[in-house]
Amino acid sequence: MTRISLPATIDDAPDASRPALEAVKASLGSVPNLFRITANGPAALKGYLDFSGALSKGTLPAATRERIALAVAQVNGCDYCLSAHSYLARNVAKLDEAEIAANRRGGSTDPKAEAAVRFAVELVEKRGQVSDAAVSAVKMAGYDDAQIVEIVAHVALNTLTNYLNEALGTPIDFPVVRRDAA
């Protein structure tokens, strides 16, 4: 059960959030609960969408972005994000079940992606205080400085959604995946 209001329709959302929700609906065909609950704070919704949109134009492949999202959601214990990103990983990024399970355990079946996922997990677990060895490992795997910054940014973006969903009790509107099922 949500801890704050969950606008049932776009018309129930604050006026300032409605254009953004209409854009989400046009893009996705529906408005997932994450966007609806975030719409309570129009500036937060705009910030999330702008940040997400900017990162989608980065150089990290979509599959790597989903891998990071899965790992971060697992570490942060966000069932909503595990559910959403498991769905996206399967249906959009075309990751198989073994890869999704590996991502949730903080790794990957792909050696290069493994470095990015491990780095993302260390960022979350150590609250950004990663070791020189962690940065070196991700560089050695072939990630350039811009991509390393993008990995950090994706961790931040996913941590934001994890915290929003967990703090506010967002109902899961994807096939449900629970943290303890990794």
Side-chain angles (χ1 to χ4, degrees):
M1 178 164 208
T2 64
R3 294 179 174 143
I4 65 172
S5 65
L6 180 70
T9 68
I10 291 173
D11 290 337
D12 294 332
D15 290 343
S17 291
R18 291 178 189 166
L21 293 176
E22 290 290 355
V24 168
K25 184 176 181 182
S27 175
L28 302 178
S30 66
V31 182
N33 287 341
L34 162 66
F35 300 100
R36 294 192 304 135
I37 205 159
T38 306
N40 283 294
L45 179 61
K46 182 179 181 338
Y48 168 72
L49 290 170
D50 288 351
F51 194 22
S52 179
L55 288 177
S56 73
K57 294 177 179 101
T59 60
L60 289 178
T64 299
R65 297 190 310 256
E66 285 306 319
R67 290 171 169 118
I68 291 167
L70 286 162
V72 171
Q74 183 72 32
V75 173
N76 284 331
C78 181
D79 289 346
Y80 185 96
C81 291
L82 279 173
S83 299
H85 288 289
S86 292
Y87 176 86
L88 293 169
R90 280 185 205 96
N91 296 295
V92 177
K94 303 299 184 197
L95 299 178
D96 63 27
E97 294 304 316
E99 180 62 16
I100 292 168
N103 302 154
R104 291 182 60 196
R105 289 189 306 271
S108 175
T109 59
D110 174 87
K112 183 173 181 179
E114 168 112 3
V117 172
R118 287 194 181 283
F119 184 65
V121 167
E122 186 167 334
L123 279 163
V124 175
E125 289 177 341
K126 296 188 177 176
R127 296 187 213 143
Q129 301 292 317
V130 297
S131 64
D132 290 342
V135 175
S136 292
V138 81
K139 283 182 176 183
M140 295 285 293
Y143 292 95
D144 63 27
D145 292 350
Q147 291 171 317
I148 293 169
V149 170
E150 285 181 34
I151 294 168
V152 175
H154 278 285
V155 168
L157 178 69
N158 283 285
T159 298
L160 169 63
T161 59
N162 295 170
Y163 284 14
L164 280 166
N165 291 314
E166 287 302 301
L168 303 177
T170 308
I172 299 171
D173 50 354
F174 292 90
V176 175
V177 175
R178 301 275 181 213
R179 180 177 185 232
D180 59 358

